[in-house]
Amino acid sequence: MEADRLNSPSTSVITFEVLGHQLQFSQDPNSKHLGTTVWDTSMVFAKFLEKNCRKGRFCPSKLKGKRVIELGAGCGVAGFGMALLGCDVVSTDQIEVVPLLRRNVERNTSWIMQMNSNADSFGSIKVAELDWGNEDHIKAVAPPFDYIIGTDVVYAEHLVEPLLQTIIALSGPKTTIMLGHEIRSTSVHEQMLQTWKNFFDVKIVPKAKMDSKYQHPSIQLFIMGLKPPVVTAENAISTEKPENVARGIDEVEVEPSKTDQDKEHDHGSNSLVDDLPSTRLPDGKLSEWEARRYGSMAARLLREVKIT
Ligand SMILES: C[S@@+](CC[C@H](N)C(=O)[O-])C[C@H]1O[C@@H](n2cnc3c(N)ncnc32)[C@H](O)[C@@H]1O
């Protein structure tokens, strides 16, 4: 397992090259919080943008000035992908994560502005506290947004509903939602997907559209739009399924979400690791730090990423 990892317990800075920029993200190996680590899906997401930014909806001319909010941003990698393509990004997380997130945002923004001749295409990125479901936090960021993004934000079942309610509260009729997810638990994945399908038109990005190195069978990217009629925060928890009306979210060719049979084929139980909190190393000992990273199967594909 060691050799498969992107991070090590002593890793405090990840250097990540994306869209022609050499970014550096500080981590806090001593923190107990999940948000103080760069998670693999965030890099898969940023590299997906890089691969698809020459034409179509992700080219800088289309994205310039678009308002983006990143939920559960952690170290802020995915938001930087959007900001580098010209978007004005609000990168959000829980209060405990905000200081490190702010440090990463300030450091990389100043690096981009100082060192790169093509800084013109950079939009902006700012940091805000946003605890999912907190109405004051939601109001303070001034919704609706053009894009709502998040990577690796659903790792336990209890997160599905507050995240859904927050996404709905931040959305308008034209909002596009882009989420990345690494499958670690079939039950969390199933609940998440069923909830998304009830409220959104869900498209899964095919692997061929992802960067050839920054992808993994366990990592999925979703591009979604709210199904009209617009669902409000008040009725978001209703189990009733809204009317299914297709929306125009197809500029990047994406796959419709799959049948259960397809999913079985793509993500058979052998390809999944267990739910993060219950994961154990063979000798049964697992430090806090190890527990947080053990699920990152995708790290084996990302091991060439330079770590300083
Ligand atoms: C596994 S980390 C992923 C971090 C980052 N998106 C990445 O991919 O590197 C999950 C993130 O979700 C955030 N999160 C979890 N529950 C949250 C909540 N209720 N409100 C806001 N953020 C939350 C955590 O603080 C953490 O940053």
Side-chain angles (χ1 to χ4, degrees):
M1 197 68 198
E2 264 318 311
D4 289 341
R5 293 191 179 163
L6 169 64
N7 279 323
S8 77
S10 58
T11 301
S12 57
V13 178
I14 295 266
T15 300
F16 179 54
E17 193 277 321
V18 66
L19 289 154
H21 299 263
Q22 196 81 355
L23 303 181
Q24 291 205 329
F25 294 92
S26 294
Q27 305 189 129
D28 183 356
N30 299 316
S31 162
K32 292 182 180 168
H33 208 288
L34 292 174
T36 58
T37 297
V38 172
W39 290 73
D40 297 342
T41 310
S42 66
M43 292 189 267
V44 170
F45 180 93
K47 283 289 189 179
F48 161 74
L49 293 176
E50 179 182 88
K51 180 166 170 147
N52 292 279
C53 71
R54 275 176 208 88
K55 59 183 169 93
R57 70 181 309 167
F58 298 122
C59 70
S61 62
K62 295 256 175 70
L63 287 180
K64 187 79 196 156
K66 294 283 185 209
R67 292 190 72 226
V68 176
I69 187 159
E70 178 170 15
L71 300 175
C75 297
V77 174
F80 263 97
M82 298 296 276
L84 284 168
L85 292 172
C87 297
D88 296 321
V89 178
V90 185
S91 191
T92 72
D93 210 309
Q94 292 175 308
I95 191 69
E96 299 89 335
V97 182
V98 164
L100 182 65
L101 176 59
R102 198 181 300 282
R103 184 141 49 95
N104 280 316
V105 164
E106 286 171 359
R107 172 195 204 166
N108 285 302
T109 302
S110 107
W111 176 257
I112 290 163
M113 302 315 263
Q114 283 171 33
M115 305 303 292
N116 295 284
S117 53
N118 55 345
D120 286 357
S121 54
F122 186 69
S124 65
I125 181 160
K126 63 181 186 183
V127 174
E129 177 189 1
L130 198 159
D131 211 344
W132 303 335
N134 183 312
E135 288 178 16
D136 293 336
H137 293 171
I138 290 169
K139 212 166 152 191
V141 293
F145 287 84
D146 298 304
Y147 287 89
I148 300 171
I149 65 169
T151 56
D152 236 327
V153 282
V154 184
Y155 45 87
E157 288 181 23
H158 73 270
L159 296 171
V160 173
E161 189 181 304
L163 180 62
L164 171 72
Q165 290 188 15
T166 303
I167 290 173
I168 289 169
L170 293 166
S171 294
K174 293 187 177 166
T175 301
T176 299
I177 302 138
M178 299 202 293
L179 298 178
H181 181 67
E182 180 175 341
I183 304 167
R184 298 189 183 84
S185 151
T186 40
S187 63
V188 173
H189 182 68
E190 289 302 318
Q191 191 195 335
M192 181 195 81
L193 206 55
Q194 195 50 55
T195 305
W196 295 160
K197 282 184 194 169
N198 284 348
F199 290 90
F200 309 126
D201 293 312
V202 181
K203 300 286 169 69
I204 300 174
V205 174
K207 296 288 186 280
K209 290 283 172 187
M210 298 183 192
D211 180 277
S212 57
K213 189 172 90 170
Y214 288 83
Q215 59 170 268
H216 187 273
S218 292
I219 291 184
Q220 291 183 327
L221 300 180
F222 301 94
I223 301 183
M224 315 191 285
L226 263 184
K227 288 177 178 175
V230 176
V231 183
T232 64
E234 285 71 40
N235 64 14
I237 53 170
S238 158
T239 51
E240 210 169 299
K241 199 172 164 180
E243 203 184 336
N244 184 356
V245 183
R247 285 164 42 95
I249 55 173
D250 288 331
E251 283 179 55
V252 162
E253 289 163 38
V254 286
E255 292 170 346
S257 56
K258 298 186 177 181
T259 63
D260 290 346
Q261 210 179 357
D262 291 336
K263 280 182 277 168
E264 195 63 33
H265 181 257
D266 281 358
H267 312 293
S269 54
N270 287 345
S271 71
L272 303 178
V273 296
D274 205 355
D275 208 353
L276 197 54
S278 61
T279 307
R280 289 288 177 274
L281 289 172
D283 66 2
K285 289 180 190 148
L286 203 65
S287 70
E288 282 278 346
W289 195 96
E290 299 281 351
R292 284 186 276 129
R293 290 156 175 83
Y294 191 54
S296 278
M297 292 174 63
R300 75 173 62 105
L301 292 183
L302 306 178
R303 77 174 76 125
E304 284 167 36
V305 174
K306 192 175 150 214
I307 297 171
T308 55

